[in-house]
Amino acid sequence: MFVTDLFQRIEASIRDRRLLKPGGKVLVAVSGGVDSVVLLHALEKISKRRKWKIVVAHFNHQLRGRASDLDEKLVRETAAKMKLPVIVEGADVKAFAGQSMLSTEMAARKLRHEFLARAARRLKIKTIALAHHADDQVELFFLRLLRGSGGEGLGGMKWKSPSPADQRLSLIRPLLEMSKAELGELAKGQNIQYREDATNASSDFLRNRIRNQLLPLLRKDYQPALNRVILRVMEIVGAEAEFVGEAARCATIALDKLPLSVQRRVLQTRLLESGIIPDFDLIESLRLSSGRFISIGPGISAARNNAGKIKLREDLQKSFCPDELSIKFTGRAGGINFNGVKFAWRLSPVDGSVKFPRKPGEKSKMEFFDADKIGKEIVLRHWREGDRFQPIGMSTPVKLQDLFVNAKIPRERRHELVLATTRTGEIFWAEGLRIPENFKITPRTRRTLTWKRNGLVK
């Protein structure tokens, strides 16, 4: 009875959401795992009434050696037992990931979707069935939440959507209301053969850590009905995101007169139309600065007008400046000129006579460091890719680029900023940021370095 109910639910989902017409053709993506094999069995069983024409598709990612080949073997054998045509391709995903500067997960997704689109076009099939289920939706919600997605992303996967590899093809997901446990029970009840992917237990992928560590903790200690709650949230957020998207498409008044969420969506859409991948900081910079060009990458800037239309401009490319200057502290005080920027310094014993400013780190104010931790020699240079810095109050170093973003330092300004490092390369001062945790004054400090940009140390 349980198995019959599940098949009926799947058929009802397809019928009520008009995912597949009676007599239609469908390409079913089958990996060999329980989800996709159950989907294939369900569609094959229902097709006896709905007259669907089914073709099986399998992509061998070649990531797990012999295990990947056994996945392919199972899919071929399953299709043969059902007397269904099968199309198989494979590729070295790891090599492609390295060549394309993509993560293994993203490289696999790209190659898989390209294969499915290619196979569908060849067979003149316009619908591709995928086996995503309710647990996948919940994992995706937290994955995108941790990556800072907006409402459109948090809305999750749709029952029907265009293929990312070919917008003329449709992806359908008939299992979105079903849980992983229900699919497992269906496989058990029907004695369906499938293969377990050992990499699902690996902690190398963020999605796996969410599935195996975060979600069990949330269900155990915070919300036993997590799936139901998150799926409801996704439904609400997705519907609201659709409304904002439609409002953005229909907007005819000045950008500044629109609601905040619509302003952001307008700019996001216009940037994508211009071939630019937008992030939150770029959208905010443009939103708050009508008519002002914002650097969006090497040699190119963008500005928006009052209607939110984007204009691109080629700039003289700024690169990381290789200039640097080594200085040895001799005597008690001195001055430095680095590429036209003047600095003054003074070494002082801690005797209670040093007066600290109320706002250390403020531009053109004196700053104070533990001189013995810095040493007798320093280096002045500009920001370089990969530089890390640990501002006071933080437990670990972070990328300077992230700190510049948080401090709202414009992209075009960052290459001009001056850094001061120890002889071994540790940054103890970064222009525009507060002093570092590991060079601050402590009760054990015996000598201070007083540092000032553009002026004398009195």
Side-chain angles (χ1 to χ4, degrees), residues 1-245:
M1 187 65 171
F2 172 78
V3 169
T4 303
D5 288 345
L6 290 181
F7 281 137
Q8 288 176 348
R9 282 173 55 193
I10 295 171
E11 184 174 5
S13 292
I14 295 172
R15 182 188 65 243
D16 296 345
R17 292 175 172 82
R18 300 178 181 177
L19 302 183
L20 192 58
K21 296 177 181 178
K25 293 196 292 185
V26 59
L27 185 71
V28 185
V30 184
S31 67
V34 61
D35 315 329
S36 61
V37 175
V38 166
L39 173 64
L40 177 61
H41 276 78
L43 293 179
E44 192 272 338
K45 183 178 179 65
I46 299 168
S47 71
K48 292 170 183 174
R49 290 190 300 276
R50 310 290 286 182
K51 307 298 182 184
W52 296 324
K53 297 175 180 64
I54 297 173
V55 178
V56 179
H58 175 79
F59 185 74
N60 189 332
H61 298 87
Q62 300 177 11
L63 288 170
R64 294 161 37 243
R66 185 168 180 270
S68 292
D69 294 334
L70 290 175
D71 293 344
E72 178 182 326
K73 183 173 182 287
L74 173 69
V75 174
R76 287 183 182 276
E77 290 175 348
T78 302
K81 287 178 184 177
M82 294 179 172
K83 298 181 180 179
L84 295 174
V86 60
I87 182 167
V88 175
E89 282 190 21
D92 188 339
V93 169
K94 188 166 287 187
F96 177 75
Q99 295 165 3
S100 307
M101 303 287 286
L102 295 171
S103 68
T104 302
E105 188 176 13
M106 292 304 297
R109 181 180 184 276
K110 177 177 173 59
L111 289 174
R112 185 169 60 249
H113 276 296
E114 288 178 349
F115 155 66
L116 292 171
R118 198 163 50 247
R121 287 193 299 267
R122 187 189 315 162
L123 299 169
K124 298 182 179 179
I125 297 174
K126 293 187 177 181
T127 304
I128 302 168
L130 305 179
H132 295 117
H133 48 76
D135 293 59
D136 289 328
Q137 281 282 60
V138 175
E139 291 167 15
L140 182 64
F141 176 85
F142 284 98
L143 184 68
R144 289 179 172 174
L145 180 69
L146 295 174
R147 289 175 174 169
S149 293
E152 193 174 17
L154 295 179
M157 295 175 285
K158 309 302 180 187
W159 287 89
K160 188 172 186 177
S161 62
S163 163
D166 189 335
Q167 297 287 302
R168 297 168 297 178
L169 305 175
S170 294
L171 303 180
I172 63 170
R173 301 176 177 87
L175 306 182
L176 275 187
E177 280 187 345
M178 302 186 68
S179 69
K180 180 85 169 183
E182 288 175 319
L183 298 177
E185 285 296 314
L186 196 154
K188 183 178 178 181
Q190 293 285 289
N191 195 28
I192 294 173
Q193 301 298 308
Y194 61 88
R195 285 184 50 78
E196 293 284 359
D197 185 347
T199 61
N200 287 337
S202 168
S203 296
D204 292 341
F205 301 113
L206 177 58
R207 181 186 280 272
N208 287 359
R209 295 197 296 276
I210 290 171
R211 176 190 304 134
N212 301 325
Q213 299 170 20
L214 177 61
L215 297 185
L217 174 68
L218 293 175
R219 291 187 180 105
K220 176 176 177 290
D221 293 344
Y222 297 93
Q223 177 50 271
L226 187 70
N227 273 26
R228 179 171 57 81
V229 170
I230 295 301
L231 291 173
R232 185 173 62 208
V233 170
M234 295 177 79
E235 180 73 23
I236 294 169
V237 170
E240 291 176 350
E242 285 183 13
F243 174 79
V244 171

Side-chain angles (χ1 to χ4, degrees), residues 337-408:
N337 188 320
F338 176 62
N339 286 353
V341 182
K342 295 181 180 180
F343 299 90
W345 58 270
R346 178 182 294 278
L347 298 172
S348 310
V350 175
D351 56 8
S353 62
V354 177
K355 294 182 180 179
F356 298 101
R358 291 183 178 180
K359 297 181 180 179
E362 187 178 346
K363 190 175 180 181
S364 297
K365 297 290 184 180
M366 290 183 289
E367 296 177 274
F368 300 85
F369 307 92
D370 188 314
D372 294 316
K373 291 179 181 177
I374 292 172
K376 297 180 180 179
E377 184 177 349
I378 68 168
V379 175
L380 293 178
R381 61 175 177 82
H382 294 285
W383 168 51
R384 295 173 185 165
E385 191 171 11
D387 277 337
R388 302 182 76 85
F389 186 66
Q390 184 179 354
I392 191 167
M394 297 189 72
S395 58
T396 57
V398 295
K399 285 186 177 181
L400 264 178
Q401 179 168 332
D402 294 339
L403 294 174
F404 291 152
V405 170
N406 292 338
K408 301 189 184 305

